[in-house]
């Protein structure tokens, strides 16, 4: 099976702009989670989607949002970008069997630089 | 609460030595404990995981031990090789929600030839 893919891989934006990142999960996986990775804060959970519904949300401001489509592909959007949003954004997918805590498989990430 | 403490933050060993990384947690609801390895510029990759119904799991040079009573789990790498150099993250699931992985801060392992 093909792994988790993310597009674009690199992005440069300026403060105040918005950005949309895309994630395609492993075929058959229904859950997509998003994480932000920075040198200072490590890997932090943003949100998780399952069956087009947000099931969990981390402690990030409302400028961070996401959605999931019927084919399980997911997008995240960051509006009004700030310098501190510069980070590696990782998505991860899992089959999401009911009641089972499962392995999550990560995509290569999108590296966002905000100038 | 949502917290995983990982130690040490950096670890330097000679090739062939063993390396041990330990994580402690406070939320006891997790029953799945994965370890990820992240090489420079690459994605985190699962290297081993353990479920709460076992105390130890081995895969060649890598092993993980879990003590649910004491709320800690550890990664053991034996006969380290230069290609083991990377950042290692422990993780567990937060009881408050599905698929919400909480990560330790990471351990940067350097294996010197």
């Amino acid at each position: 099976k093909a792994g988790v893919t993310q597009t674009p891989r690199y992005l440069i934006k300026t403060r105040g702009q918005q950005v949309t990142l895309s994630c395609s999960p492993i075929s058959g996986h229904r859950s997509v989670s998003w994480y932000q990775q920075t040198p200072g804060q490590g890997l932090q959970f943003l949100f998780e989607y399952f069956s087009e519904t947000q099931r969990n949300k981390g402690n990030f401001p409302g400028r961070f949002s996401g959605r999931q489509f019927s084919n399980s592909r997911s997008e995240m959007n960051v509006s009004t970008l700030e310098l501190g949003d510069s980070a590696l954004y990782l998505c991860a997918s899992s089959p999401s069997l009911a009641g089972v805590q499962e392995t999550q498989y990560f995509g290569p990430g999108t590296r966002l630089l905000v100038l | 609460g949502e917290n995983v403490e990982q130690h040490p933050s950096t670890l330097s060993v000679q090739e062939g030595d063993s390396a041990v990384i330990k994580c402690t947690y406070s939320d006891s609801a997790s029953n799945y404990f994965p370890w990820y390895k992240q090489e420079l510029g690459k994605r985190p990759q699962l290297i081993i995981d353990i479920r709460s119904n076992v105390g130890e799991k081995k895969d060649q040079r890598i092993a993980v031990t879990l003590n649910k009573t004491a709320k800690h789990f550890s990664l053991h790498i034996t006969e380290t090789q230069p290609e083991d150099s990377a950042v290692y993250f422990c993780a567990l699931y937060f009881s408050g929600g599905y698929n919400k992985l909480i990560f330790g801060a990471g351990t940067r392992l350097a294996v010197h030839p």
Side-chain angles (χ1 to χ4, degrees):
Chain A
K1 283 185 181 177
V4 180
T5 58
Q6 292 185 245
T7 57
R9 294 292 311 280
Y10 304 93
L11 209 48
I12 300 175
K13 293 286 187 178
T14 56
R15 279 180 301 173
Q17 287 187 308
Q18 74 162 14
V19 66
T20 299
L21 313 181
S22 181
C23 173
S24 292
I26 292 171
S27 177
H29 285 193
R30 300 166 66 194
S31 169
V32 174
S33 299
W34 288 89
Y35 296 85
Q36 182 195 65
Q37 186 174 28
T38 60
Q41 298 297 317
L43 273 158
Q44 294 201 303
F45 174 82
L46 279 156
F47 30 65
E48 185 243 355
Y49 285 87
F50 174 77
S51 289
E52 302 177 62
T53 301
Q54 187 182 89
R55 286 201 300 194
N56 284 290
K57 193 175 190 311
N59 298 323
F60 280 82
R63 300 184 297 106
F64 292 81
S65 63
R67 60 178 175 167
Q68 186 180 36
F69 303 94
S70 58
N71 62 357
S72 294
R73 188 177 70 86
S74 178
E75 290 181 347
M76 68 164 281
N77 183 278
V78 188
S79 61
T80 319
L81 284 166
E82 300 177 0
L83 295 179
D85 296 334
S86 295
L88 180 66
Y89 291 89
L90 293 157
C91 77
S93 77
S94 63
S96 196
L97 302 172
V100 178
Q101 294 179 352
E102 309 164 309
T103 301
Q104 291 190 22
Y105 298 91
F106 282 87
T110 294
R111 187 164 296 280
L112 172 65
L113 177 61
V114 182
L115 301 175
Chain B
E2 304 177 30
N3 191 40
V4 182
E5 290 192 9
Q6 182 172 344
H7 298 283
S9 57
T10 60
L11 184 56
S12 182
V13 300
Q14 291 296 124
E15 183 176 0
D17 287 350
S18 295
V20 180
I21 303 169
K22 183 176 178 179
C23 287
T24 58
Y25 61 97
S26 53
D27 184 347
S28 60
S30 186
N31 58 34
Y32 177 68
F33 304 86
W35 285 88
Y36 287 87
K37 173 184 180 182
Q38 188 176 28
E39 296 176 73
L40 190 62
K42 297 191 176 180
R43 73 188 78 189
Q45 292 209 303
L46 180 77
I47 54 170
I48 195 166
D49 55 17
I50 190 168
R51 295 196 181 269
S52 58
N53 57 346
V54 298
E56 183 177 2
K57 182 178 178 181
K58 291 178 94 170
D59 183 3
Q60 299 183 337
R61 297 185 296 108
I62 295 174
V64 57
T65 57
L66 170 65
N67 185 325
K68 281 214 80 175
T69 303
K71 296 183 182 176
H72 64 73
F73 57 114
S74 299
L75 177 70
H76 304 254
I77 306 174
T78 58
E79 300 172 30
T80 53
Q81 300 168 3
E83 52 265 39
D84 294 329
S85 296
V87 180
Y88 292 81
F89 294 95
C90 64
L92 54 79
Y93 276 107
F94 174 56
S95 64
Y98 300 95
N99 288 355
K100 182 178 178 179
L101 270 177
I102 306 300
F103 285 87
T107 296
R108 184 173 300 278
L109 173 65
V111 180
H112 302 285

